[in-house]
């Protein structure tokens, strides 16, 4: 029997130097069959043709794409689907798992997914698709908005987060291929957001592995030190647990109880957190040694507990009854720590087999889609925390505040207290009576004047303890105080208090904001040009404010400044004025050149629609070559510059100076050679450059310029400038080079360094 503090996956601990790559060179056909076999194991009647169809669709969409590890991209969605199948989820979720990156990373659309696989699958895919096409002020804002979008999708369909958790788990399993800074970034986000989410959903099977893998990359020295220290006592612990199990099993069997007993591995991250929190050494952690008893009924749970306590002395303060008071994530179990054989502390968990399934699978074991009851009220209760969290975060526009509050709400420990009627209320640890009042009802919070704990009056900043009976004292004439924002601890309470002040002061702020705007206009001497309401509203949209009153109120309470609004109005007016001048200028240029009925005569291999005999030049920012999709831009006095359609400069022109763009096309008879610059990324090893150059020798192509360098993360970067005869030859050479051993990324770049596209 293996009793070890190992990863939840049950895999042996990796050494410091190497982590096994479980998916490298994976046979995708074999992996697909494994997926289908897992599904057959829990759903013999499943229509597997839709899974095969989704695989074919995803494989086609991702064809040619590779992960940073060098393996085909389709391996990732396949592994995500397998994780979802191991949770015994429905076919729609597994199909969405196969398709989850299609919209984000390929040219496929949600519409095509909806038409082929149904609207429900499309909604699941959309829920895990990042907001990659929107410009954000900062990376933090982008992360906050992506998470906000995911939570909104979760509220509609909890399966969204199950797919996202599976996606994150497989990414962590292959994280070693990323540079160290990226490893740390992903690991920290996992520990702050995704592992706590798995905990709140009760999916411990995924939570433990997320935490241990993230711990390994976030704090590798501490991780491997703990691995080695635990390994030193492994044999002794196994013998101790085996002995305890044998004694316990004989005793329980003799009392007529049918019990499955197993050693419970304590996971590395939880050991590390407990050591840091309690400021103790490894030998002082009670539950490194643990046993789990699985029985049939709740009655058997308590009977087993009684027998355990007659066999070994329980340690005071170490008993927890999560059956009578389940955790918010549905976890149920009896926990007790006793002085076991040889005088060593031993933690024992006792639960029914159904409780154990819930502990492993969490919300995935209980949800409405599987049970076929979409009106399941119990299921809605289980997700009440999610809707509350969304409600509390709704008014938080600041990305930093949103992220801080989200982490607090997800990651905090809990305290269980009682209402005077005996109802159990779960709150974050550190909560005060005000938090309890707002959890009961918003009006109870607003009208709170005091509180009684266990029949005794206490101040509002009293820290609640497990088992407290809380009674809130209210008055119809009471209302929130400003200092409550410093007393309240939960996001819900603080948000409700802020909303009250915001609502109460809104009318005052509207009048105040209007006066401030009019006064500033007068001060700047532009009274005659007082902005029209529609212009003010248009400027307000830049701040996510969509009505005149919203804008005045925001100015009045200081959320935005009046000068920021006026500057937006001026910028928009200047933009419109510039647009008019641009249109006039472009028309003048077109009037000065010879018009053409269709396509003009070729100049440097380019024809311009409707214009003849005009100067043409290929732009250096994107270095277009024959065969590339292109667009022309009418410059100021230098004719027309030709850009690739994916050039960042052209995208900016389209947004700001669309009138200057003209339709152009390559002349089919143009055969002159052209230069192209390639960037190749791979693993730094002896002979890597010579293997790449061997491809050029084989193709009888000479490089005009070559440079190679190694990076600190163990990667090598080679840059080549080649002379090509056509886009077909370029594509062929890129394909050949991409097959060189250890090449994991290859792209065209401009001579100024702009990325022009990865080989897909």
């Amino acid at each position: 029997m293996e009793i070890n503090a190992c990863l939840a996956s049950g895999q042996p601990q990796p050494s410091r130097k190497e982590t096994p790559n479980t998916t490298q060179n994976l046979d995708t056909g074999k992996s697909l069959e494994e997926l289908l076999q897992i599904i057959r194991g829990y759903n013999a009647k499943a229509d597997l043709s839709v899974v095969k169809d989704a695989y074919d669709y995803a494989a086609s969409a991702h064809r040619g794409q590779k992960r940073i590890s060098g393996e085909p991209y389709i391996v990732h969605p396949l592994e995500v689907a397998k994780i979802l199948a191991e949770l015994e989820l429905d076919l729609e979720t597994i199909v969405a798992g196969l398709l989850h990156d299609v919209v984000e990373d390929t040219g496929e659309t949600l519409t095509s997914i909806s038409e082929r696989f149904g609207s429900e699958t499309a909604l699941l895919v959309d829920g895990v698709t990042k907001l990659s096409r929107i410009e954000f002020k900062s990376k933090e804002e982008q992360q906050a908005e992506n998470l906000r979008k995911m939570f909104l999708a979760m509220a509609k369909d909890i399966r969204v987060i199950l797919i996202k958790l599976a996606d994150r788990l497989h990414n962590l399993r292959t994280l070693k291929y990323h540079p160290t800074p990226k490893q740390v970034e992903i690991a920290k986000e996992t520990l702050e957001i995704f592992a706590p989410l798995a905990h709140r959903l009760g999916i411990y099977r995924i939570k433990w592995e997320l935490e241990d893998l993230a711990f390994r990359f976030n704090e590798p020295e501490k991780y491997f030190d703990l691995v080695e220290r635990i390994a030193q006592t492994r044999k002794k612990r196994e013998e101790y647990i085996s002995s305890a199990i044998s004694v316990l099993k004989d005793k329980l069997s003799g009392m007529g109880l049918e019990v499955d007993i197993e050693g419970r591995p304590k996971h590395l991250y939880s050991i590390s957190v407990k050591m840091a929190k309690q400021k103790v050494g490894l030998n002082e952690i009670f539950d490194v040694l643990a046993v789990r008893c699985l029985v049939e009924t709740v009655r058997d749970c308590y009977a087993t507990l009684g027998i355990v306590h007659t066999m070994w002395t329980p340690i005071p303060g170490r008993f927890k009854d999560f059956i009578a008071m389940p955790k918010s994530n549905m976890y149920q179990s009896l926990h007790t720590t006793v002085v076991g054989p040889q005088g060593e502390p031993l933690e024992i968990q006792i639960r029914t087999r159904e409780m154990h399934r819930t502990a492993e699978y969490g919300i995935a074991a209980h949800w409405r889609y599987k049970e076929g009851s979409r009106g399941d009220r119990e299921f809605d209760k289980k997700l009440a925390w999610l809707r509350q969290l969304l409600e509390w975060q709704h008014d938080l526009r600041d990305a930093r505040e949103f992220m801080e509050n989200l982490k607090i709400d997800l990651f905090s420990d809990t305290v269980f207290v009682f209402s005077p009627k005996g109802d159990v209320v779960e709150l974050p640890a550190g909560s005060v009576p005000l938090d309890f009042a707002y959890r009961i009802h918003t009006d109870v919070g607003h009208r709170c004047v005091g509180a009684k704990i266990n029949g005794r009056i206490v101040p509002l900043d009293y820290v609640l303890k497990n088992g407290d009976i809380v009674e809130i004292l209210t008055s119809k004439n009471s209302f929130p105080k400003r200092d409550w924002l410093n007393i309240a601890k939960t996001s819900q309470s603080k948000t409700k208090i802020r909303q009250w002040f915001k609502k109460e002061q809104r009318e005052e702020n509207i009048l105040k904001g209007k006066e401030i705007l009019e006064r500033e206009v007068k001060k700047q001497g532009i009274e005659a040009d007082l902005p029209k309401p529609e212009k003010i509203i248009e400027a307000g949209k830049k701040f996510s404010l969509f009505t005149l009153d919203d804008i005045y109120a925001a100015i009045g309470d200081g959320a935005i400044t009046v000068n920021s609004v006026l500057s937006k109005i001026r910028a928009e007016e200047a933009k419109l004025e510039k647009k008019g001048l641009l249109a006039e200028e472009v028309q003048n240029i077109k009037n000065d050149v010879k018009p053409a009925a269709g396509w003009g005569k070729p100049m440097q291999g380019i024809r311009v629609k409707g214009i003849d005999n005009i100067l043409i030049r290929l732009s250096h920012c994107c270095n277009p070559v024959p065969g590339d999709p292109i667009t022309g831009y009418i410059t100021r006095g230098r004719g027309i510059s030709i850009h690739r359609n994916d050039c960042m400069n052209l995208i900016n022109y389209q947004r700001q100076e669309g009138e200057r763009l003209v339709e152009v096309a390559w002349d089919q008879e143009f055969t002159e050679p052209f230069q192209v610059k390639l960037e190749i990324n791979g693993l730094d090893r002896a002979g890597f450059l010579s293997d790449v150059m061997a491809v050029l020798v084989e193709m009888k192509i000479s490089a005009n310029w070559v440079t190679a360098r190694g990076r600190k993360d163990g990667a090598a970067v080679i840059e080549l400038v080649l002379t090509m005869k056509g886009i077909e030859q370029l594509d062929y050479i890129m394909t050949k080079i991409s097959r060189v051993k250890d090449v994991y990324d290859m792209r065209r770049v401009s001579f100024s360094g702009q990325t022009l596209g990865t080989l897909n």
Side-chain angles (χ1 to χ4, degrees), residues 52-175:
K52 294 176 184 176
D53 187 29
Y55 167 77
D56 292 338
Y57 186 91
S60 176
H62 291 297
R63 182 171 289 121
Q65 293 181 341
K66 290 185 179 180
R67 305 193 81 212
I68 195 170
S69 61
E71 64 198 5
Y73 196 92
I74 188 61
V75 167
H76 172 63
L78 255 177
E79 291 300 304
V80 169
K82 283 168 68 176
I83 293 169
L84 295 170
E86 286 165 359
L87 293 175
E88 300 187 4
L89 297 174
D90 62 313
L91 290 185
E92 281 180 338
T93 311
I94 294 167
V95 167
L98 286 167
L99 304 174
H100 77 276
D101 273 339
V102 165
V103 174
E104 190 173 325
D105 293 338
T106 76
E108 300 297 332
T109 65
L110 285 170
T111 303
S112 63
I113 290 176
S114 179
E115 290 173 351
R116 187 159 174 174
F117 300 100
S119 58
E120 213 162 332
T121 299
L123 283 173
L124 292 175
V125 173
D126 183 42
V128 293
T129 300
K130 293 177 183 175
L131 300 169
S132 56
R133 295 175 178 81
I134 298 176
E135 289 187 17
F136 296 98
K137 297 176 184 176
S138 66
K139 189 172 184 179
E140 189 173 39
E141 182 186 8
Q142 183 176 25
Q143 183 191 29
E145 291 308 318
N146 279 325
L147 286 170
R148 205 190 296 259
K149 180 192 177 198
M150 183 181 74
F151 278 114
L152 287 169
M154 278 171 62
K156 295 177 183 175
D157 197 322
I158 196 64
R159 293 176 293 181
V160 166
I161 193 56
L162 300 180
I163 297 168
K164 189 63 183 177
L165 288 173
D167 171 58
R168 177 54 59 103
L169 179 55
H170 183 249
N171 282 333
L172 280 175
R173 288 175 179 174
T174 57
L175 194 58

Side-chain angles (χ1 to χ4, degrees), residues 199-200 202 204 207-208 320-333 335 382 413-414 416 426:
H199 173 79
R200 290 299 295 264
Y204 285 86
K207 178 204 171 185
W208 297 128
K320 295 178 182 177
D321 188 343
F322 294 117
I323 294 179
M325 289 194 298
K327 292 185 179 182
S328 61
N329 61 10
M330 302 167 295
Y331 179 86
Q332 289 184 287
S333 186
H335 291 195
K382 292 163 189 172
D413 292 329
T414 55
F416 294 93
E426 182 183 2

Side-chain angles (χ1 to χ4, degrees), residues 415-425 433 436 451-458 462 464-472:
V415 60
F416 294 93
V417 295
F418 296 91
S419 72
K421 294 181 179 180
D423 296 325
V424 179
V425 177
F436 178 89
K452 286 184 178 181
I453 303 296
N454 305 323
R456 184 170 54 88
I457 292 178
V458 297
Y462 168 88
L464 298 175
K465 299 178 179 63
N466 275 320
D468 280 345
I469 300 173
V470 187
E471 180 183 354
I472 300 299

Side-chain angles (χ1 to χ4, degrees), residues 369-627:
Y369 304 98
K370 197 170 180 181
E371 295 170 357
S373 175
R374 292 181 176 270
D376 185 0
R377 292 182 180 179
E378 286 301 312
F379 183 84
D380 288 338
K381 288 180 183 177
K382 292 163 189 172
L383 294 181
W385 66 270
L386 173 59
R387 276 176 279 280
Q388 288 173 345
L389 186 146
L390 285 171
E391 179 186 339
W392 307 336
Q393 309 295 351
H394 179 72
D395 291 328
L396 296 179
R397 300 191 184 279
D398 181 75
R400 184 169 297 173
E401 187 179 1
F402 173 82
M403 292 301 296
E404 287 176 358
N405 285 339
L406 177 63
K407 291 169 188 176
I408 290 170
D409 287 331
L410 285 178
F411 206 48
S412 57
D413 292 329
T414 55
V415 60
F416 294 93
V417 295
F418 296 91
S419 72
K421 294 181 179 180
D423 296 325
V424 179
V425 177
E426 182 183 2
L427 291 164
S431 293
V432 298
L434 264 180
D435 300 310
F436 178 89
Y438 277 104
R439 176 61 61 87
I440 298 302
H441 196 278
T442 302
D443 286 340
V444 174
H446 287 345
R447 295 174 181 175
C448 176
V449 293
K452 286 184 178 181
I453 303 296
N454 305 323
R456 184 170 54 88
I457 292 178
V458 297
L460 290 179
D461 61 357
Y462 168 88
V463 178
L464 298 175
K465 299 178 179 63
N466 275 320
D468 280 345
I469 300 173
V470 187
E471 180 183 354
I472 300 299
L473 308 176
T474 61
S475 169
K476 291 183 179 179
N477 299 321
S478 180
F479 50 85
K481 313 297 186 292
R482 282 282 179 186
D483 64 339
W484 284 10
L485 290 170
N486 297 322
I487 295 174
K489 301 301 179 186
T490 67
S491 298
Q492 178 194 23
S493 305
K494 292 184 178 184
T495 301
K496 295 295 185 185
I497 295 167
R498 288 193 190 100
Q499 285 175 344
W500 185 88
F501 282 110
K502 189 174 181 180
K503 183 179 179 181
E504 288 296 308
Q505 298 174 351
R506 180 173 170 80
E507 293 300 324
E508 180 184 338
N509 285 330
I510 289 173
L511 293 173
K512 184 179 176 182
K514 188 175 182 181
E515 288 175 7
I516 292 173
L517 179 64
E518 291 174 350
R519 187 165 62 245
E520 187 61 28
V521 167
K522 184 177 181 180
K523 180 182 175 182
Q524 295 184 18
I526 53 175
E527 290 178 85
D529 298 321
L530 184 66
K532 294 179 180 179
E534 54 267 26
K535 289 188 177 181
I536 299 175
I537 292 172
E538 196 61 37
K541 290 178 182 178
K542 309 293 183 184
F543 304 97
S544 298
L545 301 168
F546 301 99
T547 70
L548 206 55
D549 283 350
D550 287 343
I551 298 164
Y552 288 147
I555 295 173
D557 68 11
I560 60 175
T561 65
V562 66
N563 282 323
S564 64
V565 175
L566 291 175
S567 65
K568 295 289 183 187
I569 294 172
R570 292 194 197 97
E572 191 62 31
E573 289 175 345
K575 187 176 177 181
L576 291 172
E577 185 179 347
K578 181 181 178 182
K579 192 173 182 180
L581 292 173
L582 283 174
E584 184 180 347
E585 183 184 349
V586 170
Q587 191 57 50
N588 290 338
I589 293 172
K590 289 182 177 180
N591 291 339
D592 290 339
V593 299
K594 183 179 178 182
W599 290 93
K601 294 178 181 178
M603 296 285 289
Q604 295 191 44
I606 304 287
R607 294 177 181 270
V608 183
K609 191 169 187 179
I611 301 177
D612 211 354
N613 193 28
I614 189 171
L615 179 64
I616 299 287
R617 67 183 184 87
L618 303 179
S619 64
H620 292 295
C621 60
C622 59
N623 192 37
V625 298

Side-chain angles (χ1 to χ4, degrees), residues 212-230:
D212 281 353
L213 287 170
F215 176 34
R216 184 214 156 181
F217 290 103
N218 190 42
E219 298 180 279
E221 290 300 321
K222 186 183 290 187
Y223 172 87
F224 284 110
D225 178 62
L226 193 55
V227 169
E228 290 170 6
R229 290 169 64 189
I230 289 175

Side-chain angles (χ1 to χ4, degrees), residues 229-256:
R229 290 169 64 189
I230 289 175
Q232 290 170 3
T233 60
R234 172 182 167 184
K235 185 176 180 181
K236 180 182 175 183
R237 284 185 292 106
E238 287 184 358
E239 290 173 353
Y240 178 81
I241 293 292
S242 296
S243 172
I245 288 175
S246 177
V247 172
L248 185 57
K249 197 158 194 172
D250 288 344
K251 183 71 173 179
L252 293 174
S253 297
M255 301 297 290

